[in-house]
Amino acid sequence: MKFVRHKIGSLCHNVTDGEHGTVINEENGDYYLLSNKNIKNGRIVYNGKDRRINNESFNKINKRTKLEYDDVVIATVGTIGRTAIIKDAILKYDFQRSVGIYKVNKTVLLPEFLHYYFQLPYVQKRLINLSTGAVQKCLFIGDLKNIDIDLPTDFNYQSKIVKVLSDLDAKIELNNKINLELEAMAKLIYDYWFV
């Protein structure tokens, strides 16, 4: 299979990041303003303890980011390179500046392929080398657009790669759940016999 190198920005409808300005917290707000710490293990993870904002603030932020289903997000400040794909049909959150947002052109690049590409060790190293800042490392929008990506010339090959990797991820997740259940059972048995 032949691969061709592209700039990621040329394969996206838009590349941006989260809100830069000051946003007022709203204790009982219906929406959340998340940061890079909410990107965990390829997912967006948040709960009631995360920062809440009101409808007006959310709409203002979302007007600029245009965050939606199948966008790829990446941590761009601090712990650089963690990624996730937005899988919520109805969004109750948007992001602060510490998160980059790729609106992928799905006719040439699959969001899942981009997500897995970012997990490659040499790509992670490249992201860290691109980052700047003395106190806290950071990637800017220009950096996000200019990252190279190697794509198979056959678009269908992206699907095949994604299928194999997502099947492995599903298996790992299932094994982790089984391990947690076995640990809970072992603790229960231990408590029954010895406590």
Side-chain angles (χ1 to χ4, degrees), residues 5-193:
R5 182 161 287 182
H6 301 270
K7 298 289 183 192
I8 293 178
S10 71
L11 305 171
C12 295
H13 296 299
N14 192 30
V15 179
T16 190
D17 57 4
E19 177 60 32
H20 288 240
T22 303
V23 179
I24 298 169
N25 293 348
E26 180 72 43
E27 189 176 317
N28 297 316
D30 293 328
Y31 296 93
Y32 295 90
L33 185 60
L34 305 179
S35 69
N36 62 0
K37 71 179 176 62
N38 297 99
I39 301 173
K40 296 180 183 173
N41 300 321
R43 291 195 163 84
I44 306 301
V45 179
Y46 65 100
N47 58 44
K49 295 176 183 175
D50 285 297
R51 185 176 178 189
R52 288 177 175 248
I53 58 175
N54 62 29
N55 186 42
E56 184 182 334
S57 295
F58 172 79
N59 287 334
K60 180 183 169 229
I61 294 165
N62 194 256
K63 186 176 181 179
R64 187 179 76 79
T65 65
K66 297 177 179 60
L67 186 71
E68 62 185 358
Y69 184 85
D70 264 355
D71 285 352
V72 178
V73 293
I74 182 169
T76 59
V77 176
T79 308
I80 292 171
R82 289 186 314 228
T83 62
I85 302 170
I86 302 299
K87 289 298 178 187
D88 299 298
I90 299 173
L91 291 176
K92 299 293 281 181
Y93 57 84
D94 214 309
F95 291 97
Q96 298 175 31
R97 187 259 172 266
S98 64
V99 175
I101 303 164
Y102 288 101
K103 194 164 294 301
V104 175
N105 178 353
K106 291 182 251 183
T107 62
V108 291
L109 174 63
L110 296 174
E112 296 82 3
F113 187 89
L114 180 59
H115 167 69
Y116 285 120
Y117 184 77
F118 277 130
Q119 306 316 305
L120 294 170
Y122 78 91
V123 176
Q124 286 285 310
K125 195 173 192 175
R126 193 181 319 153
L127 292 173
I128 290 166
N129 289 337
L130 276 173
S131 62
T132 56
V135 177
Q136 192 170 35
K137 295 292 187 184
C138 174
L139 287 171
F140 294 98
I141 294 174
D143 301 322
L144 297 176
K145 290 178 180 178
N146 289 315
I147 297 169
D148 292 326
I149 184 169
D150 299 311
L151 286 183
T153 52
D154 180 0
F155 181 77
N156 293 326
Y157 202 69
Q158 282 186 51
S159 300
K160 291 176 184 175
I161 292 170
V162 165
K163 171 85 169 98
V164 169
L165 294 174
S166 60
D167 286 351
L168 286 171
D169 275 351
K171 181 67 175 160
I172 290 167
E173 187 175 338
L174 177 62
N175 287 344
N176 288 339
K177 284 180 183 175
I178 291 170
N179 286 341
L180 288 173
E181 289 176 14
L182 289 173
E183 285 175 20
M185 287 172 60
K187 184 180 181 334
L188 187 66
I189 292 169
Y190 177 84
D191 290 348
Y192 177 79
W193 284 96

